[in-house]
Amino acid sequence: MSTDTLTPEQSHALLDILSHHEVYQEIRDFRQPNALNGYGPPFTAKPGQPSNFPSLQGLVSRFLLRLPGLKDAPEAFWHSQCASIVTDLEKADLSESYDKGLIGIRKTLATAISALIEYPVRGIFAGFKVPEEHDPNQTYDRTKAADLQGAFSELMHQCVYGDMLDEMFRMAGETDKLEDHTDLVRAAHEYIIINLASFMHYTLVLSPKGQNLITLIDNANRLVPWGMMKQTLKIGNVASMINAMVKVVLAKVSVATVTNFLGLTKGSDEGQNLMQHIISQVLQWDIRDLKNRATKIEKDKSPPTKEQIEALRNYSTLSREHHDSMRKTSEDENKSLPMVILTQAKASTKLTPEQHALAQDYLAIHLSIRDREQIVKVLCHSNPDHLTTGVRTLVEAYDPMIRKLHQAVDLSSTVSDLEVFLKDMIKLSKIPDASSKTAKDYQIPSVGDFIELLHKHQGASHRFIHQCGKNGPKLMSWFSEYLHAAADEFKRKDSSTPTSVQDAGDLTPALTDLFTSLPKDKQSSFAPLLDSHATYLKNLHASSLSRLDAVLSSPRTNHPALQSSSKPTSASNASISNIMSNSSRPPSAASSRASSPERSSTTISSAAAAHATKDAHPGPGAYLARWQALIEATTITPAKASGPVRRGGSGSVLKASRDDGADAEEVLNGGKGNDHGQEEKELSDAMERLDAELEGTGKAGNSRPDTSAIVEALGGRFREVLGKRACTW
């Protein structure tokens, strides 16, 4: 069929629409039981049968399975350990954002991952454009946005089609100073730093669950025995060092361990190692806070009845089929999920607006508790212990690489650099509650602050790479071979397309066939949508470039969190026994001992969130708008007993998402009105402003077009196209 039926811009827009939907849908499909049965390598694969997850499987097979070290992992690692963990998590039936009435951490991370990996997915299936002839003497002004963006684009093209990878590997072995590299590399490096800072800022400061996520990171960081790890890594004999580190992280010492080994018992829970203890303890702290919130709701002056409380509590124990059925009823009848639950449980449905808000909070709390309990069960209490066995298997696969690293790099100093970076990141990212004493004069971190954070610590990564290049030639040869093979995956098979044309690359013929197979009336209705989407994408990237220019022209903020150097705390030098025993105490008890890790408070109210978002500006990156679009498209249960289904971008959902993990009194007050309606409005207005900045909606004709009809008509067939192209078994 003729390719004239789609212009290059339309084919590019069609690829963007379908790939954006496909990647996220594949991630969503992992919720379903037995998803791995149709995944393909490295799991189950039938000869000639395409994967049900062509985008994700394509990335895994081309990049992950070829990674040095990981490529030597035995089949049992994938078929037994990884597959078992994924299957157990699927069976756990973890809760949906719709049920809880808020955007959770899992939803935030899933949408972020989808928005990022859709770019390499398009790259491996469509290919990078063949670049124009490169001028090696071209200079780049690192204070100009267009120069930085152009440098990064040129660097990527030279890595795929030129010899830039060889040049960078050579220079890495000669120097650890960025200034010694070419002007192109320095400008592209700055572009990467700014975009990474933008991603960190949006994730930890602007996203609905940013503060909850940084709290989890902080709590886990406080339990890591950094001092012991650094001392262990100083052991000169590499075999002794590896054995010691494995014992520190993975060893279990309990009566059940011995009796299982001797055959006196079978299948007894052998307890937890340090890695599992950290996972379990961090989530147990959350569970305890959630149970306290649930208790306060039950003791409220006017709570739901005991019968209603029992029905809401029992919902988390129902089957997946019951959950899906009730969710569908809620959407179809425009009734809130708590009301559907009470109706089907034959409990009283009489609730005041205040009681309904408490009922929704109570349901969300118990779903959150069950989620954490199930994650702990799968990762820390499974029998056999797939997580520990999997990590041991990876250590064995990476043994040759660890030996080369031990010879080439000061691993103890590297871990120390990582520890200090995490402490600085946590210190910068934390936003105090609006009611705290420090909130009044607190300076909300900007993208520029995160750029300064990365500039402050970039020398550590440069030294690490230089040490590898100088002292580990074998190590560098492994990664050079890997990166060259990875770059080849982005080369276009058809290089005849002019460089100036933006189309769908190698997928142009297939997409044209899909489009022209549609009825004429649909072709006529879809063509203007593709034109609108093409315009939307152009303005999206123009908006990102303008935000990059704003970041470059903004003055340094000198955030207080970056002024002092972080030093290891007493907790970082705690022994394993202290961590395993003291951290199980309540935070108030644990904090009374200098050697005990202190739990970070999870309190973050919507008032603080509104304050954080009110004057914040997002950094560059078109993917941020795509990420925000996925969050905003998430369906959420109605806020009232009867009402329309909400979306993830509404003020009430944002408030609930920010409040999740806040003090119980804060949440209870939120259910009773007060001035929280104003907070919802501030949050909603702030996110609308962020949307306008991310998408450039201030420009004429750049509203996000509704392309759901295109996805409905071609989404399934697009997956088939990718599946056939990705099937190499």
Side-chain angles (χ1 to χ4, degrees), residues 54-81:
S55 297
L56 301 182
Q57 200 282 330
L59 293 180
V60 168
S61 62
R62 286 168 170 82
F63 305 119
L64 194 62
L65 296 184
R66 298 177 182 176
L67 196 64
L70 191 58
K71 68 178 182 180
D72 299 320
E75 287 188 1
F77 171 74
W78 302 103
H79 294 169
S80 180
Q81 284 91 55

mmCIF file of all heavy atoms in Angstrom, residues 54-81:
data_model
loop_
_atom_site.group_PDB
_atom_site.id
_atom_site.type_symbol
_atom_site.label_atom_id
_atom_site.label_comp_id
_atom_site.label_asym_id
_atom_site.label_seq_id
_atom_site.Cartn_x
_atom_site.Cartn_y
_atom_site.Cartn_z
ATOM 1 N N PRO A 54 5.593 -7.415 24.028
ATOM 2 C CA PRO A 54 6.698 -7.221 23.068
ATOM 3 C C PRO A 54 7.615 -6.054 23.398
ATOM 4 O O PRO A 54 8.825 -6.139 23.174
ATOM 5 C CB PRO A 54 5.972 -7.001 21.740
ATOM 6 C CG PRO A 54 4.586 -6.555 22.107
ATOM 7 C CD PRO A 54 4.275 -7.272 23.387
ATOM 8 N N SER A 55 7.074 -4.964 23.923
ATOM 9 C CA SER A 55 7.919 -3.806 24.247
ATOM 10 C C SER A 55 8.871 -4.124 25.387
ATOM 11 O O SER A 55 10.088 -3.916 25.286
ATOM 12 C CB SER A 55 7.053 -2.601 24.617
ATOM 13 O OG SER A 55 6.250 -2.195 23.542
ATOM 14 N N LEU A 56 8.314 -4.630 26.485
ATOM 15 C CA LEU A 56 9.140 -4.933 27.656
ATOM 16 C C LEU A 56 10.107 -6.071 27.356
ATOM 17 O O LEU A 56 11.282 -6.020 27.730
ATOM 18 C CB LEU A 56 8.250 -5.291 28.854
ATOM 19 C CG LEU A 56 7.258 -4.217 29.300
ATOM 20 C CD1 LEU A 56 6.482 -4.680 30.525
ATOM 21 C CD2 LEU A 56 7.983 -2.910 29.605
ATOM 22 N N GLN A 57 9.621 -7.109 26.680
ATOM 23 C CA GLN A 57 10.482 -8.236 26.364
ATOM 24 C C GLN A 57 11.588 -7.824 25.406
ATOM 25 O O GLN A 57 12.724 -8.304 25.504
ATOM 26 C CB GLN A 57 9.652 -9.378 25.751
ATOM 27 C CG GLN A 57 10.301 -10.757 25.810
ATOM 28 C CD GLN A 57 11.376 -10.944 24.746
ATOM 29 O OE1 GLN A 57 11.297 -10.359 23.669
ATOM 30 N NE2 GLN A 57 12.357 -11.781 25.037
ATOM 31 N N GLY A 58 11.275 -6.898 24.497
ATOM 32 C CA GLY A 58 12.284 -6.411 23.571
ATOM 33 C C GLY A 58 13.419 -5.709 24.291
ATOM 34 O O GLY A 58 14.596 -5.902 23.963
ATOM 35 N N LEU A 59 13.086 -4.892 25.286
ATOM 36 C CA LEU A 59 14.125 -4.221 26.070
ATOM 37 C C LEU A 59 14.931 -5.222 26.881
ATOM 38 O O LEU A 59 16.163 -5.139 26.956
ATOM 39 C CB LEU A 59 13.490 -3.185 27.005
ATOM 40 C CG LEU A 59 12.839 -1.963 26.359
ATOM 41 C CD1 LEU A 59 12.263 -1.050 27.431
ATOM 42 C CD2 LEU A 59 13.837 -1.191 25.502
ATOM 43 N N VAL A 60 14.241 -6.176 27.508
ATOM 44 C CA VAL A 60 14.924 -7.158 28.347
ATOM 45 C C VAL A 60 15.891 -8.004 27.520
ATOM 46 O O VAL A 60 17.053 -8.197 27.893
ATOM 47 C CB VAL A 60 13.895 -8.061 29.069
ATOM 48 C CG1 VAL A 60 14.579 -9.263 29.716
ATOM 49 C CG2 VAL A 60 13.149 -7.262 30.132
ATOM 50 N N SER A 61 15.424 -8.515 26.395
ATOM 51 C CA SER A 61 16.263 -9.417 25.593
ATOM 52 C C SER A 61 17.431 -8.693 24.940
ATOM 53 O O SER A 61 18.518 -9.259 24.790
ATOM 54 C CB SER A 61 15.414 -10.109 24.523
ATOM 55 O OG SER A 61 14.859 -9.162 23.629
ATOM 56 N N ARG A 62 17.234 -7.429 24.560
ATOM 57 C CA ARG A 62 18.299 -6.705 23.870
ATOM 58 C C ARG A 62 19.320 -6.094 24.814
ATOM 59 O O ARG A 62 20.497 -5.931 24.443
ATOM 60 C CB ARG A 62 17.698 -5.591 23.004
ATOM 61 C CG ARG A 62 17.008 -6.086 21.743
ATOM 62 C CD ARG A 62 16.208 -4.956 21.114
ATOM 63 N NE ARG A 62 15.719 -5.273 19.787
ATOM 64 C CZ ARG A 62 14.618 -5.986 19.548
ATOM 65 N NH1 ARG A 62 13.897 -6.442 20.579
ATOM 66 N NH2 ARG A 62 14.231 -6.234 18.311
ATOM 67 N N PHE A 63 18.907 -5.722 26.020
ATOM 68 C CA PHE A 63 19.799 -4.983 26.918
ATOM 69 C C PHE A 63 20.075 -5.708 28.236
ATOM 70 O O PHE A 63 21.224 -5.852 28.637
ATOM 71 C CB PHE A 63 19.228 -3.592 27.181
ATOM 72 C CG PHE A 63 18.950 -2.813 25.927
ATOM 73 C CD1 PHE A 63 17.672 -2.395 25.612
ATOM 74 C CD2 PHE A 63 19.972 -2.514 25.037
ATOM 75 C CE1 PHE A 63 17.413 -1.698 24.447
ATOM 76 C CE2 PHE A 63 19.729 -1.809 23.862
ATOM 77 C CZ PHE A 63 18.442 -1.400 23.565
ATOM 78 N N LEU A 64 19.027 -6.164 28.916
ATOM 79 C CA LEU A 64 19.226 -6.762 30.235
ATOM 80 C C LEU A 64 19.926 -8.113 30.145
ATOM 81 O O LEU A 64 20.872 -8.390 30.895
ATOM 82 C CB LEU A 64 17.865 -6.915 30.936
ATOM 83 C CG LEU A 64 17.914 -7.204 32.442
ATOM 84 C CD1 LEU A 64 18.592 -6.055 33.179
ATOM 85 C CD2 LEU A 64 16.514 -7.420 32.990
ATOM 86 N N LEU A 65 19.476 -8.979 29.237
ATOM 87 C CA LEU A 65 20.034 -10.326 29.154
ATOM 88 C C LEU A 65 21.455 -10.342 28.593
ATOM 89 O O LEU A 65 22.146 -11.357 28.697
ATOM 90 C CB LEU A 65 19.136 -11.219 28.286
ATOM 91 C CG LEU A 65 17.729 -11.473 28.810
ATOM 92 C CD1 LEU A 65 16.988 -12.448 27.909
ATOM 93 C CD2 LEU A 65 17.771 -12.003 30.232
ATOM 94 N N ARG A 66 21.891 -9.248 28.003
ATOM 95 C CA ARG A 66 23.250 -9.171 27.471
ATOM 96 C C ARG A 66 24.205 -8.453 28.420
ATOM 97 O O ARG A 66 25.394 -8.331 28.132
ATOM 98 C CB ARG A 66 23.247 -8.444 26.127
ATOM 99 C CG ARG A 66 22.443 -9.138 25.044
ATOM 100 C CD ARG A 66 22.440 -8.305 23.770
ATOM 101 N NE ARG A 66 21.637 -8.913 22.712
ATOM 102 C CZ ARG A 66 21.419 -8.345 21.528
ATOM 103 N NH1 ARG A 66 21.952 -7.161 21.259
ATOM 104 N NH2 ARG A 66 20.670 -8.941 20.624
ATOM 105 N N LEU A 67 23.696 -7.968 29.531
ATOM 106 C CA LEU A 67 24.506 -7.197 30.470
ATOM 107 C C LEU A 67 25.628 -8.066 31.025
ATOM 108 O O LEU A 67 25.389 -9.206 31.436
ATOM 109 C CB LEU A 67 23.620 -6.691 31.611
ATOM 110 C CG LEU A 67 24.166 -5.567 32.485
ATOM 111 C CD1 LEU A 67 24.355 -4.298 31.669
ATOM 112 C CD2 LEU A 67 23.215 -5.312 33.648
ATOM 113 N N PRO A 68 26.863 -7.559 31.021
ATOM 114 C CA PRO A 68 27.974 -8.343 31.577
ATOM 115 C C PRO A 68 27.660 -8.815 33.000
ATOM 116 O O PRO A 68 27.206 -8.039 33.835
ATOM 117 C CB PRO A 68 29.137 -7.346 31.570
ATOM 118 C CG PRO A 68 28.822 -6.411 30.460
ATOM 119 C CD PRO A 68 27.323 -6.266 30.474
ATOM 120 N N GLY A 69 27.893 -10.063 33.261
ATOM 121 C CA GLY A 69 27.581 -10.639 34.557
ATOM 122 C C GLY A 69 26.207 -11.262 34.558
ATOM 123 O O GLY A 69 26.061 -12.471 34.775
ATOM 124 N N LEU A 70 25.208 -10.475 34.280
ATOM 125 C CA LEU A 70 23.842 -10.990 34.296
ATOM 126 C C LEU A 70 23.625 -12.002 33.174
ATOM 127 O O LEU A 70 22.820 -12.936 33.318
ATOM 128 C CB LEU A 70 22.843 -9.840 34.169
ATOM 129 C CG LEU A 70 21.368 -10.181 34.432
ATOM 130 C CD1 LEU A 70 21.177 -10.750 35.826
ATOM 131 C CD2 LEU A 70 20.487 -8.954 34.233
ATOM 132 N N LYS A 71 24.344 -11.849 32.067
ATOM 133 C CA LYS A 71 24.185 -12.797 30.959
ATOM 134 C C LYS A 71 24.668 -14.195 31.334
ATOM 135 O O LYS A 71 24.320 -15.181 30.672
ATOM 136 C CB LYS A 71 24.930 -12.301 29.728
ATOM 137 C CG LYS A 71 26.448 -12.308 29.862
ATOM 138 C CD LYS A 71 27.107 -11.840 28.576
ATOM 139 C CE LYS A 71 28.638 -11.894 28.706
ATOM 140 N NZ LYS A 71 29.301 -11.435 27.466
ATOM 141 N N ASP A 72 25.467 -14.288 32.403
ATOM 142 C CA ASP A 72 25.979 -15.582 32.860
ATOM 143 C C ASP A 72 25.110 -16.212 33.940
ATOM 144 O O ASP A 72 25.444 -17.289 34.438
ATOM 145 C CB ASP A 72 27.410 -15.417 33.388
ATOM 146 C CG ASP A 72 28.364 -14.906 32.314
ATOM 147 O OD1 ASP A 72 28.246 -15.363 31.165
ATOM 148 O OD2 ASP A 72 29.203 -14.042 32.626
ATOM 149 N N ALA A 73 24.015 -15.539 34.311
ATOM 150 C CA ALA A 73 23.116 -16.112 35.312
ATOM 151 C C ALA A 73 22.457 -17.367 34.742
ATOM 152 O O ALA A 73 22.035 -17.376 33.581
ATOM 153 C CB ALA A 73 22.049 -15.098 35.718
ATOM 154 N N PRO A 74 22.357 -18.441 35.528
ATOM 155 C CA PRO A 74 21.764 -19.687 35.025
ATOM 156 C C PRO A 74 20.267 -19.530 34.775
ATOM 157 O O PRO A 74 19.630 -18.595 35.285
ATOM 158 C CB PRO A 74 22.034 -20.687 36.156
ATOM 159 C CG PRO A 74 22.146 -19.843 37.383
ATOM 160 C CD PRO A 74 22.785 -18.557 36.941
ATOM 161 N N GLU A 75 19.699 -20.442 33.992
ATOM 162 C CA GLU A 75 18.272 -20.388 33.681
ATOM 163 C C GLU A 75 17.419 -20.460 34.947
ATOM 164 O O GLU A 75 16.335 -19.886 35.004
ATOM 165 C CB GLU A 75 17.899 -21.529 32.738
ATOM 166 C CG GLU A 75 18.391 -21.345 31.314
ATOM 167 C CD GLU A 75 17.841 -22.401 30.378
ATOM 168 O OE1 GLU A 75 17.067 -23.264 30.858
ATOM 169 O OE2 GLU A 75 18.165 -22.378 29.180
ATOM 170 N N ALA A 76 17.920 -21.165 35.953
ATOM 171 C CA ALA A 76 17.160 -21.301 37.198
ATOM 172 C C ALA A 76 16.899 -19.946 37.852
ATOM 173 O O ALA A 76 15.879 -19.758 38.526
ATOM 174 C CB ALA A 76 17.902 -22.217 38.173
ATOM 175 N N PHE A 77 17.809 -18.995 37.652
ATOM 176 C CA PHE A 77 17.617 -17.665 38.229
ATOM 177 C C PHE A 77 16.348 -17.035 37.677
ATOM 178 O O PHE A 77 15.569 -16.422 38.418
ATOM 179 C CB PHE A 77 18.826 -16.784 37.924
ATOM 180 C CG PHE A 77 18.637 -15.343 38.296
ATOM 181 C CD1 PHE A 77 18.659 -14.945 39.620
ATOM 182 C CD2 PHE A 77 18.417 -14.375 37.316
ATOM 183 C CE1 PHE A 77 18.471 -13.610 39.965
ATOM 184 C CE2 PHE A 77 18.239 -13.046 37.649
ATOM 185 C CZ PHE A 77 18.265 -12.668 38.979
ATOM 186 N N TRP A 78 16.126 -17.183 36.368
ATOM 187 C CA TRP A 78 14.937 -16.602 35.741
ATOM 188 C C TRP A 78 13.707 -17.482 35.944
ATOM 189 O O TRP A 78 12.647 -16.987 36.333
ATOM 190 C CB TRP A 78 15.190 -16.392 34.250
ATOM 191 C CG TRP A 78 16.362 -15.527 33.955
ATOM 192 C CD1 TRP A 78 17.605 -15.925 33.537
ATOM 193 C CD2 TRP A 78 16.441 -14.097 34.087
ATOM 194 N NE1 TRP A 78 18.438 -14.843 33.391
ATOM 195 C CE2 TRP A 78 17.754 -13.714 33.715
ATOM 196 C CE3 TRP A 78 15.530 -13.111 34.473
ATOM 197 C CZ2 TRP A 78 18.169 -12.384 33.724
ATOM 198 C CZ3 TRP A 78 15.936 -11.787 34.470
ATOM 199 C CH2 TRP A 78 17.238 -11.434 34.103
ATOM 200 N N HIS A 79 13.850 -18.759 35.701
ATOM 201 C CA HIS A 79 12.698 -19.665 35.727
ATOM 202 C C HIS A 79 12.201 -19.950 37.138
ATOM 203 O O HIS A 79 11.015 -20.199 37.340
ATOM 204 C CB HIS A 79 13.059 -20.985 35.046
ATOM 205 C CG HIS A 79 13.319 -20.834 33.588
ATOM 206 N ND1 HIS A 79 13.863 -21.837 32.809
ATOM 207 C CD2 HIS A 79 13.125 -19.794 32.740
ATOM 208 C CE1 HIS A 79 13.981 -21.424 31.558
ATOM 209 N NE2 HIS A 79 13.547 -20.178 31.496
ATOM 210 N N SER A 80 13.113 -19.939 38.100
ATOM 211 C CA SER A 80 12.724 -20.287 39.465
ATOM 212 C C SER A 80 12.601 -19.053 40.349
ATOM 213 O O SER A 80 11.508 -18.700 40.790
ATOM 214 C CB SER A 80 13.746 -21.264 40.065
ATOM 215 O OG SER A 80 13.387 -21.613 41.384
ATOM 216 N N GLN A 81 13.747 -18.375 40.589
ATOM 217 C CA GLN A 81 13.711 -17.271 41.558
ATOM 218 C C GLN A 81 12.869 -16.081 41.064
ATOM 219 O O GLN A 81 11.898 -15.679 41.713
ATOM 220 C CB GLN A 81 15.134 -16.807 41.878
ATOM 221 C CG GLN A 81 15.884 -17.737 42.809
ATOM 222 C CD GLN A 81 16.674 -18.794 42.071
ATOM 223 O OE1 GLN A 81 17.496 -18.463 41.216
ATOM 224 N NE2 GLN A 81 16.463 -20.056 42.397
#
